[in-house]
Amino acid sequence: MASDSRQKDDLKYLRETIELAKASRKGGNHPFGAILVGPDDEVLLQSGNTFKKDKGVGHAEANVARAASRLFEAEFLESCTLYTSVEPCCMCAGTCYWAGIGTVVYCMTEKRLAALTGDNPENLTLDLSCQQVFEAGQRKVKTRGPYAELEEEVAEGHRDFW
């Protein structure tokens, strides 16, 4: 179980991802947001979804992980945490894994997202948790989530979108 201090930090950064998701939606993109936080609690990178430009591969988590892999060494990224409004899909989990990011924290599960998006062709979720993706790898990636206290706020950003 996360310490009270860690949980407080997680909630703070997760709320920032929710704000990024809102801005992403307002900009005509899908409602997702992600940030990368360094070992000294500094926000290093952030991104919303970029569907308008990148179509199906413009996921917020993948955008952050790709940028992080260009800017930082894997040894440093192992001490970083990627926060995201929704559990990373298998593509995003794989991108985080290959970038070398050490921890992933999310608000809402991919399964809950699937219930909200249904069979919308712009978000055909895969029934594969990020933990399953990470467990299949040779490098350990820690995860924390979901955070039930933020789930409805995230879900609200998806209602009437899909």
Side-chain angles (χ1 to χ4, degrees), residues 2 6 10 81 83 103-106 131 142-147:
R6 177 183 289 167
D10 284 356
T81 302
Y83 289 89
T103 304
V104 172
V105 182
Y106 58 92
Q131 286 87 359
K142 295 175 253 158
T143 61
R144 294 192 297 276
Y147 276 84

Side-chain angles (χ1 to χ4, degrees), residues 58-126:
H59 295 195
E61 303 91 340
N63 292 341
V64 169
R66 280 192 306 271
S69 72
R70 289 189 296 268
L71 294 171
F72 305 107
E73 295 298 321
E75 295 78 19
F76 174 74
L77 289 173
E78 190 174 350
S79 65
C80 294
T81 302
L82 183 133
Y83 289 89
T84 179
S85 54
V86 177
E87 178 182 6
C89 70
C90 60
M91 176 184 71
C92 291
T95 307
C96 290
Y97 175 84
W98 285 107
I101 295 167
T103 304
V104 172
V105 182
Y106 58 92
C107 293
M108 185 171 67
T109 66
E110 179 83 352
K111 282 192 181 297
R112 176 74 194 279
L113 176 65
L116 293 169
T117 63
D119 63 355
N120 187 296
E122 290 185 8
N123 198 57
L124 296 172
T125 62
L126 293 162

